[in-house]
Amino acid sequence: MSFFREVTNSIIESVGVFDFDYNIIGYGGKALYIEGIKRILKIDPQNMCFDCGKKRLSLIGEDMTVSSLVGGCVTVMGRIVTLTEEEQLR
């Protein structure tokens, strides 16, 4: 069983809902794994932005790079200082 599936099942058992546009695993401010990416909006060493459907994720940091991008999943490496989520107007 996958890590995400285990966490999802735990959340469903606790609150009874599962309506997430994306999932994130953070690694101590040095890396992020994000699944649910629909589109890359911006890639820059200090600022990255990803479209996740109803939400937009923005990262601010230093020396950030995309080390992997496969099938809607991205791994960002570097010093990640801020992660913000915004509603997207559609």
Side-chain angles (χ1 to χ4, degrees):
M1 181 180 266
S2 78
F3 173 78
F4 282 130
R5 187 162 290 124
E6 289 183 40
V7 172
T8 299
N9 289 340
S10 175
I11 291 169
I12 290 170
E13 288 174 13
S14 297
V15 295
V17 296
F18 182 75
D19 186 24
F20 305 114
D21 295 315
Y22 62 88
N23 297 302
I24 297 175
I25 299 176
Y27 298 92
K30 297 180 189 299
L32 279 179
Y33 172 82
I34 307 169
E35 69 177 18
I37 303 292
K38 308 290 186 214
R39 244 176 4 130
I40 296 172
L41 302 173
K42 182 176 185 177
I43 292 182
D44 182 90
Q46 288 80 36
N47 188 344
M48 295 192 185
C49 193
F50 303 99
D51 175 344
C52 296
K54 297 176 195 167
K55 308 286 184 178
R56 181 173 64 203
L57 299 178
S58 298
L59 307 175
I60 296 174
E62 298 172 3
D63 302 319
M64 294 188 301
T65 60
V66 171
S67 66
S68 174
L69 176 60
V70 178
C73 300
V74 66
T75 303
V76 176
M77 306 292 286
R79 183 169 180 268
I80 299 152
V81 177
T82 304
L83 166 66
T84 58
E85 172 195 272
E86 299 173 71
E87 294 283 335
Q88 294 207 97
L89 301 175
R90 300 250 171 189

